[in-house]
Amino acid sequence: MVALSSWGIILLLTSLISTGIAFSSTASTAPSQQRRSDLPPPPCPRSNPSDDIFRNIRQSWPVEVQNWLRETGILRSMEDALILVGIPTLCKEHPDSPWDFFHLSTSSAFLNPDDATRVQSKLTKIQYGSNKMQFIDLIEPTSTSADGVVAFVHGGAWGSGQPWMYRLVALPFLKMNKAVAIVGYRTHPDADVNGQVADIGTSLNTLKSQRPDLLDDDGTIEALIGHSSGAHLGLLHVLESAKKSVQQQLDMTLIKKFYAVSGVYCISSHFEYEKGRGVDQVSALRVACGPHEKFEENSPAYRLECIQASGKEECGLVDGAADSVVVLDDHVPLLTFIHGIDDNIVQYTQCCDMVDAIHS
């Protein structure tokens, strides 16, 4: 594990996808067990000065007001608007980013076709549900036919985020001649974690049915990438699809590889971390993934442990089949977990614990 910027993580992902490198769920050793002792302690909950405003709100505003802001969607609108605050820093670090964003947000017909420094692309919106948030931003190269498609599920603590904020993610993949599907989904208060996972499944099936020309020869999406809470949702989708494949004895695998970036895999431990940060009342975690007694059930680490411990029929995941672990492995895509050790929003220990669960 290394400390990476967001852009560095995307560049690393393009390298992994192009080379096919991944930690498989069937690997015999656990990298986290081998290296955890060599890592520094994770950042403490109060190490991020950007959280000061939320800590002040938590201490000075009535809890009822904080909950009202979250449940009415006002807080979601505020958080989405805050993305604009980061634009000056983005432009300073990546001077071409404004033009790149404009390029990705318009049809190639409006761009200079003689500009050889940029990949010509087009943006298509694919609606897969009645809610305004249930759509895909599909960005694909236009100079040649795309060589596969990569799907991206954004984060936002289950309660914020929109596909347009992540269009720059498509750039390095377009240069690899890949189409990029940025998945929008209902965030809290419009849907809880189960509704969000269902949205991901519906969006991918819609992409498959409407754009089969973008799939690999075996009819699969080349990679699904999830970031932060999007990694949590994406992994739940992967496990749910694998469970259905085993139960129905059908191959329902649609994803060839899954990449989880800075994800949350144990809800209860992350909730305690959010309490330490002072954001637990304004964060959508405790309601989108809750109530509290549902935290374990909605944690990918626990669901995977249930699958691997085939005798745990009470989890409702494997129906007690003795060979379920072996069968299940045939329906899980290659898994890669990436996390920066300096991450003070989601501790890197989430990644270590998830990998430990895979190899337990």
Side-chain angles (χ1 to χ4, degrees):
M1 295 182 193
V2 293
L4 293 171
S5 65
S6 297
W7 194 247
I9 286 175
I10 295 301
L11 295 178
L12 174 61
L13 280 170
T14 59
S15 174
L16 289 171
I17 289 174
S18 63
T19 58
I21 298 173
F23 291 131
S24 168
S25 60
T26 58
S28 58
T29 59
S32 68
Q33 292 175 332
Q34 297 171 351
R35 303 175 185 173
R36 191 187 293 226
S37 61
D38 298 329
L39 296 173
C44 71
R46 295 184 174 271
S47 62
N48 187 355
S50 300
D51 288 338
D52 288 344
I53 183 173
F54 295 108
R55 281 191 280 267
N56 291 333
I57 289 175
R58 189 176 189 272
Q59 294 172 0
S60 59
W61 291 23
V63 172
E64 293 78 10
V65 173
Q66 298 177 49
N67 292 341
W68 178 80
L69 289 172
R70 185 191 62 236
E71 296 305 309
T72 57
I74 293 176
L75 190 63
R76 176 175 62 187
S77 299
M78 293 170 59
E79 291 173 340
D80 286 347
L82 284 174
I83 192 70
L84 302 176
V85 176
I87 291 179
T89 301
L90 178 65
C91 293
K92 183 179 180 180
E93 295 182 1
H94 304 281
D96 289 337
S97 57
W99 170 246
D100 288 334
F101 181 82
F102 173 77
H103 169 87
L104 294 168
S105 302
T106 56
S107 169
S108 58
F110 296 101
L111 300 175
N112 181 6
D114 298 324
D115 185 358
T117 63
R118 289 178 169 83
V119 179
Q120 298 299 300
S121 64
K122 69 175 181 180
L123 172 66
T124 305
K125 182 177 180 179
I126 300 177
Q127 197 79 30
Y128 66 86
S130 58
N131 189 284
K132 64 180 181 180
M133 305 174 77
Q134 293 175 307
F135 71 93
I136 298 169
D137 263 359
L138 178 64
I139 305 174
E140 55 187 312
T142 56
S143 55
T144 60
S145 298
D147 181 23
V149 60
V150 173
F152 180 83
V153 182
H154 67 78
W158 303 273
S160 64
Q162 299 180 39
W164 68 265
M165 301 174 182
Y166 299 87
R167 286 176 187 165
L168 289 172
V169 167
L171 272 178
F173 298 107
L174 289 171
K175 293 178 181 178
M176 295 168 58
N177 201 38
K178 307 289 184 186
V180 179
I182 306 174
V183 177
Y185 55 91
R186 294 168 297 162
T187 53
H188 183 81
D190 288 301
D192 62 7
V193 64
N194 293 318
Q196 292 170 15
V197 172
D199 280 0
I200 293 172
T202 303
S203 69
L204 297 180
N205 285 322
T206 301
L207 179 65
K208 177 182 179 179
S209 63
Q210 293 195 16
R211 294 301 306 270
D213 57 303
L214 296 177
L215 304 178
D216 287 354
D217 292 339
D218 58 359
T220 60
I221 293 170
E222 181 159 354
L224 175 65
I225 303 168
H227 173 247
S228 192
S229 59
H232 166 261
L233 297 171
L235 187 54
L236 285 181
H237 164 74
V238 166
L239 295 176
E240 182 67 18
S241 297
K243 178 190 73 173
K244 290 180 179 179
S245 295
V246 173
Q247 290 178 337
Q248 299 178 22
Q249 297 184 345
L250 295 172
D251 186 2
M252 303 178 69
T253 305
L254 182 56
I255 304 161
K256 188 173 293 183
K257 307 167 189 172
F258 176 66
Y259 296 87
V261 183
S262 305
V264 176
Y265 314 111
C266 179
I267 297 300
S268 58
S269 64
H270 188 61
F271 177 69
E272 293 302 316
Y273 183 71
E274 284 198 344
K275 287 175 67 175
R277 290 175 58 206
V279 301
D280 53 299
Q281 291 297 329
V282 293
S283 170
L285 179 149
R286 71 184 187 90
V287 283
C289 299
H292 195 277
E293 55 267 22
K294 292 283 188 179
F295 282 178
E296 190 172 45
E297 176 183 325
N298 288 324
S299 297
Y302 175 73
R303 290 198 187 187
L304 185 61
E305 288 173 357
C306 288
I307 291 172
Q308 291 177 325
S310 57
K312 275 191 161 184
E313 296 183 49
E314 68 272 15
C315 297
L317 296 176
V318 295
D319 293 336
D323 59 346
S324 59
V325 177
V326 177
V327 175
L328 181 78
D329 192 64
D330 296 332
H331 302 284
V332 175
L334 289 173
L335 305 175
T336 299
F337 296 88
I338 303 170
H339 214 118
I341 59 175
D342 294 332
D343 191 340
N344 55 17
I345 303 299
V346 179
Q347 291 182 313
Y348 75 78
T349 50
Q350 289 276 333
C351 178
C352 294
D353 293 343
M354 186 67 225
V355 174
D356 286 346
I358 290 175
H359 295 281
S360 63

